[in-house]
Amino acid sequence: MKKVLFAVATMMLLVACNGKQNANGADNDSVAANDVASANAENVTYFDAIDKYMVEEIGKNYSDGKYRVPMHNVVAVDESDAKDIKVWADFWLFNYDLVGDTLKCMSGGSYPGLMHIEQNDKGFEVKAFDRVEDGSNFLPSAKKIFGDKFEAFQKINGDENKREQLRAEVLAEFVKKEGIAATLYQDYGWPAKKIATAE
């Protein structure tokens, strides 16, 4: 239950880390997850599979930051087909370095779209990711991908206060899980903030 609650908490985060996003300008079309199938036994929920995909597939677009922290702001989920579980969300990946006891955000980016996940004998595995495009194609592609969920996506995406309120708790869970000796986190140009105590 705690893992599910943590997954829900990670849905709602927004950060501006050094103004860096999508380091290599990867293509925004549907991206197949080729090597994500390995070591999926630990993927006990599809949120674990999403996190693995974000770190391994999206994370390879970045060269900076020792720690990659995936976050997801979920709009809707369709679990009706175990071979194609659908998760619509504003997915994020942020990259941190530890300086003293402070996690400093080095880069990151937002990746709204639709994850296609399969449940199999290995657990859960991301099969494909339909990403919202950048620039002038953002709105039309977002409307196409989110469909009747587009207004819900806009509402969730715009709730900055709630996302920031949950952010420290998510980072607290991350440092606890990874055994990182961090008590503060900091975005470029902003004062450091305390990481909440994970329960």
Side-chain angles (χ1 to χ4, degrees), residues 148-166:
D148 60 0
K149 304 165 186 64
F150 179 70
E151 286 187 14
F153 163 66
Q154 286 187 307
K155 183 176 180 181
I156 286 175
N157 191 36
D159 195 346
E160 184 175 349
N161 290 334
K162 192 168 185 180
R163 288 191 302 266
E164 187 59 26
Q165 178 184 347
L166 293 172

Side-chain angles (χ1 to χ4, degrees), residues 34-55:
N34 296 323
D35 299 321
V36 181
S38 61
N40 267 304
E42 74 276 16
N43 292 339
V44 296
T45 74
Y46 47 77
F47 288 111
D48 295 317
I50 288 170
D51 288 348
K52 180 179 174 67
Y53 178 87
M54 293 298 294
V55 169

Side-chain angles (χ1 to χ4, degrees), residues 96-105 164 167-168 171 182-196:
Y96 293 90
D97 277 339
L98 183 64
V99 179
D101 64 348
T102 304
L103 280 175
K104 292 186 178 280
C105 192
E164 187 59 26
R167 181 182 176 207
L171 285 173
T183 60
L184 302 168
Y185 66 100
Q186 186 175 28
D187 292 333
Y188 181 79
W190 292 88
K193 296 180 181 180
K194 288 185 179 180
I195 295 176

Side-chain angles (χ1 to χ4, degrees), residues 76-89:
V77 175
D78 179 356
E79 301 175 335
S80 61
D81 182 358
K83 294 293 184 184
D84 188 17
I85 299 168
K86 299 179 180 70
V87 180
W88 292 264

Side-chain angles (χ1 to χ4, degrees), residues 48-66:
D48 295 317
I50 288 170
D51 288 348
K52 180 179 174 67
Y53 178 87
M54 293 298 294
V55 169
E56 294 185 0
E57 295 298 314
I58 303 298
K60 67 186 179 185
N61 298 330
Y62 295 92
S63 60
D64 56 351
K66 180 178 180 180

